[in-house]
C-alpha cells in the first residue's frame, strides 16, 4: 500500500491528481448511451461494498497510481470521440471539478456513473445514477440523474428499483440491468416485469457480449 505525501494530498483535494485504475477508449456498453465510442476513466476507491461487485480490485484507492488529470485529457485527445465516461470505483468520492473543466475546455461531453452515495462535484452532460442498497444515494443526487440504472441480482431488486424511481425527475430514463453472473436466472422475470411495467427499460452489458472492455 502506497502512502501519499502532503503535496499529493493537496493535489488530490484540488482534483488535479486522481487515483486511476485504468483509462481506455472503447464503446459504452450500458444504458441509454450504449453503442457510443467514448474514453473511459476508471477511478480507484469505493466503500459501498456490493457483494456482487465485478471490480472489487478498484476498492482500495492506494492500489492505483495517482495520475495527473491534464495527462488523462491528453491521452483522451488521441482518439476521435469527444465523450469521456467516468466510472469506478465510486468516482464521486473525489473532487471532480478540475477534471470536468479540463475535459469540457477540450470539447468533451462528460458522463459519469455513480452510486450517488457522495455529493457530486463537476459539470456533467449525463449522470447515470446506479443506487446500491449498501450505500444508498444522498437525496440531492436523485434530482441530478439523467438515467437511473438498477442492477438486478434477485427479485427483491425490483422493489428497490421502484423505491428509487420515486425520487428521480420525470425525464429520468429508467433501466434495470441484470447482474452479469446472474443474468440467466434473472432475465426471465426482468422481461416479464418490463412487459408489465413499460416505464422501465432493460439495459444489457453489451460490451461484454462484444468482447471489449
Ligand atoms: Fe463495486 Fe460499484 Fe458497488 Fe462500488 S458501487 S462496490 S464499484 S458495484
Amino acid at each position: 500500500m502506497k502512502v501519499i505525501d502532503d503535496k499529493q494530498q493537496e493535489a488530490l483535494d484540488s482534483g488535479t491528481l486522481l487515483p486511476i485504475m485504468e483509462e481506455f477508449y472503447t464503446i459504452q456498453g450500458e444504458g441509454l448511451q450504449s453503442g457510443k465510442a467514448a474514453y473511459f476513466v476508471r477511478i480507484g476507491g469505493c466503500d459501498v461494498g456490493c457483494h456482487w461487485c465485478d471490480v472489487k480490485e478498484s476498492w482500495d484507492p492506494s492500489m492505483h497510481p495517482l495520475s495527473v488529470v491534464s495527462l488523462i485529457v491528453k491521452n483522451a485527445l488521441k482518439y476521435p470521440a469527444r465523450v469521456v465516461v467516468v466510472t469506478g470505483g465510486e468516482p464521486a468520492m473525489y473532487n471532480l471539478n478540475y477534471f470536468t473543466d479540463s475535459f469540457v475546455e477540450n470539447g468533451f461531453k462528460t458522463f459519469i456513473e455513480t452510486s450517488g452515495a457522495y455529493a457530486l462535484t463537476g459539470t456533467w452532460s449525463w449522470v447515470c445514477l446506479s443506487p446500491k442498497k449498501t450505500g444508498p444515494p444522498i437525496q440531492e443526487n436523485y434530482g441530478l440523474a439523467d438515467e437511473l440504472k438498477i442492477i438486478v441480482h434477485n427479485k427483491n431488486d425490483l422493489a428497490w428499483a421502484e423505491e428509487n424511481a420515486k425520487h428521480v425527475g420525470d425525464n429520468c430514463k429508467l433501466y434495470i440491468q441484470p447482474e452479469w453472473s446472474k443474468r440467466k436466472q434473472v432475465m426471465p422475470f426482468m422481461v416479464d416485469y418490463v412487459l408489465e411495467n413499460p416505464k422501465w427499460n432493460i439495459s444489457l452489458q453489451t460490451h461484454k457480449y462484444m468482447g471489449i472492455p
Side-chain angles (χ1 to χ4, degrees), residues 46 48-50 52-53 55 58-59 88-89 115 132:
C46 184
V48 175
C50 309
W52 44 258
C53 179
V55 278
S58 72
W59 289 7
S115 69
K132 306 298 186 317

Side-chain angles (χ1 to χ4, degrees), residues 91-111:
M93 289 171 79
Y94 301 95
N95 174 3
L96 296 173
N97 291 321
Y98 181 80
F99 183 98
T100 56
D101 286 352
S102 305
F103 272 94
V104 170
E105 269 169 28
N106 281 280
F108 281 76
K109 286 189 176 150
T110 54
F111 297 176

Side-chain angles (χ1 to χ4, degrees), residues 117-134:
Y118 289 86
L120 192 56
T121 52
T123 307
W124 300 100
S125 320
W126 189 262
V127 175
C128 173
L129 180 69
S130 188
K132 306 298 186 317
K133 288 176 183 164
T134 45

